[in-house]
Amino acid sequence: MLEKSITLKHLLIGQERCIGLQFRADRVLIALVDRLPNVAWSDEYSLYFLPNNRNNVSLIFKTFKGIAWVNGNYFFGSRPVPTKNTSQIFKQVEHPEYKKYPRICPQEYLDKLELKQYAKNTARVYINCFEAFMRFFPGVPLEQIDENDIRDYLLYLSRSNKSTSYINQAVNSIKFYYEVVLGMPNRFYSIERPRKRKKLPEILSVRDVQDLLAQVGNLKHRCIVGLLYSSGLRRAELLALKPTDLDFNRMMVRIAQGKGNKDRYSILSKTLIPVLTEYLHRYNPDQYLFESPKGGAYSASSVLKIVSRAAKRAGIRKRVTPHMLRHSFATHLLEKGVDLRRIQVLLGHNSSKTTEIYTHVAQNSFKGIDDLLS
């Protein structure tokens, strides 16, 4: 087996497509690279490069044959063959603005999202953000857009009062096209991202949650709100639940393929079991635990309406969302003395730093501090 290796990468130098040569510093390899026609060095990418054409590709393999292994995985890639059964989420979605600016996501972008098995919600965000980006440059080939153009677009988003989250999603969708779909390494590595605002989660008191639950009369709605709070579920996770995900014997809820395509378990409240048992007997759900009257999963907007209307009836003045119940779940557990690591597992957080934010809102973080006015 050859000890030396050289990796081919796609590069765009000026407006010319080039072949990047990535390898560990080695006198033999450098000497061979110098013999290649029209080869040059890029300070920006820290790579040697030469024009991208078939003759140069063949010459590279011929030059390094028997001396170094040429890795073309990043250069040639592997595109899936589109089929008629392609998931609907990766197909084009009609928008009113398309008639005015008919630029839609390239098929290879959709193929790569599907090949990498991106979550449906993430795929929707990437597609929408990238299509908005393309419409900002009507008639301009994507390969001709450079870093200054990207900065102008991000500046436009900022001046349009787009959220920090949206701008970061826009950057991710753009980088996905150039770096993942086209295979150009660090295409926009120097693009500045907006500083993420550190906002504390809004939560409800235990009393507020009790008052809210008391205002939910419908049996299905009681199960929905009860699970959101007592199991700390995300709204999308709740809507994806199947009847078999409820384990009454072990007092657990199985969340299959939650955020980040991960499976996990959360706790099931004893108080909620009689309500859920009655609901299952009366509604007899089939595919999903909570199904729409027209079939399929219950809608996200319906869940939001259930929570917000119950909060208004309970006299809660702040705007209450399903995710606020998840924040309240974590905070109330922390206030009861549950270990932060266990809460992290229940919430499905990758990092403990994400879970630590609840220490800034939990009441027990402020106990023992003297009242300066007393």
Side-chain angles (χ1 to χ4, degrees), residues 94-110:
E94 290 297 330
H95 290 284
E97 293 188 30
Y98 286 171
K99 295 179 181 178
K100 210 175 4 175
Y101 306 104
R103 298 203 75 176
I104 58 176
C105 214
Q107 184 59 47
E108 57 265 30
Y109 194 103
L110 309 177

Side-chain angles (χ1 to χ4, degrees), residues 133-151:
F133 163 73
M134 290 192 298
R135 289 195 295 273
F136 188 78
F137 300 96
V140 181
L142 293 173
E143 289 76 10
Q144 293 182 13
I145 297 173
D146 59 24
E147 291 191 11
N148 289 329
D149 296 325
I150 302 294
R151 288 192 179 93

Side-chain angles (χ1 to χ4, degrees), residues 22-54:
Q22 187 178 57
F23 56 91
R24 291 184 178 180
D26 182 275
R27 291 182 180 179
V28 174
L29 295 184
I30 292 174
L32 291 173
V33 167
D34 284 337
R35 297 179 188 175
L36 295 172
N38 301 314
V39 72
W41 172 262
S42 169
D43 288 328
E44 182 179 5
Y45 298 110
S46 298
L47 295 176
Y48 285 98
F49 67 92
L50 66 163
N52 186 343
N53 56 57
R54 289 187 178 182

Side-chain angles (χ1 to χ4, degrees), residues 273-322:
I273 287 181
V275 184
L276 285 168
T277 303
E278 183 183 353
Y279 165 76
L280 290 171
H281 178 73
R282 187 186 301 182
Y283 283 82
N284 191 27
D286 181 23
Q287 184 178 3
Y288 296 99
L289 180 60
F290 301 111
E291 296 177 330
S292 167
K294 296 181 181 179
Y298 213 58
S299 72
S301 59
S302 296
V303 175
L304 177 59
K305 288 177 183 177
I306 292 168
V307 173
S308 59
R309 286 173 181 172
K312 286 180 181 178
R313 288 195 294 267
I316 302 172
R317 293 185 178 181
K318 64 176 73 175
R319 181 177 178 269
V320 180
T321 65

